[in-house]
């Protein structure tokens, strides 16, 4: 995206509220990669728990969006 390589991943136990989405910046598609922060970018908040499985897409206006799954506790 915009000349950079992003590795998007889900981590922690997949069926717990601790599951979340993180990212790393990579020099090439095969690495090396580095995490710019040590915490997830999407976590459980309020009634919404266990976000993961992130996928990105652009709409007809070329706006970037992220879709992911979660559940209501």
């Amino acid at each position: 995206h915009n000349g950079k390589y992003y590795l998007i991943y889900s981590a922690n136990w997949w069926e717990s509220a601790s599951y979340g989405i993180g990212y790393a910046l990579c020099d090439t598609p095969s690495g090396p990669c580095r995490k710019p922060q040590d915490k997830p970018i999407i976590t459980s908040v309020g009634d919404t728990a266990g976000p993961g499985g992130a996928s990105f897409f652009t709409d007809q206006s070329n706006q970037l969006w992220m879709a992911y799954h979660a559940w209501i506790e």
Side-chain angles (χ1 to χ4, degrees):
H1 181 70
N2 291 333
K4 295 183 181 181
Y5 296 99
Y6 292 84
L7 171 63
I8 308 300
Y9 60 90
S10 302
N12 218 319
W13 184 246
W14 67 271
E15 59 182 344
S16 77
S18 297
Y19 199 58
I21 300 169
Y23 80 102
L25 293 170
C26 303
D27 293 340
T28 70
S30 59
C33 301
R34 64 199 166 284
K35 293 185 346 181
Q37 59 187 45
D38 287 332
K39 59 183 180 180
I41 57 172
I42 307 287
T43 61
S44 297
V45 175
D47 291 350
T48 306
S55 296
F56 287 84
F57 64 96
T58 53
D59 63 19
Q60 292 177 337
S61 300
N62 208 34
Q63 176 71 38
L64 182 64
W65 292 87
M66 180 176 70
Y68 59 91
H69 65 74
W71 69 88
I72 304 297
E73 286 194 301

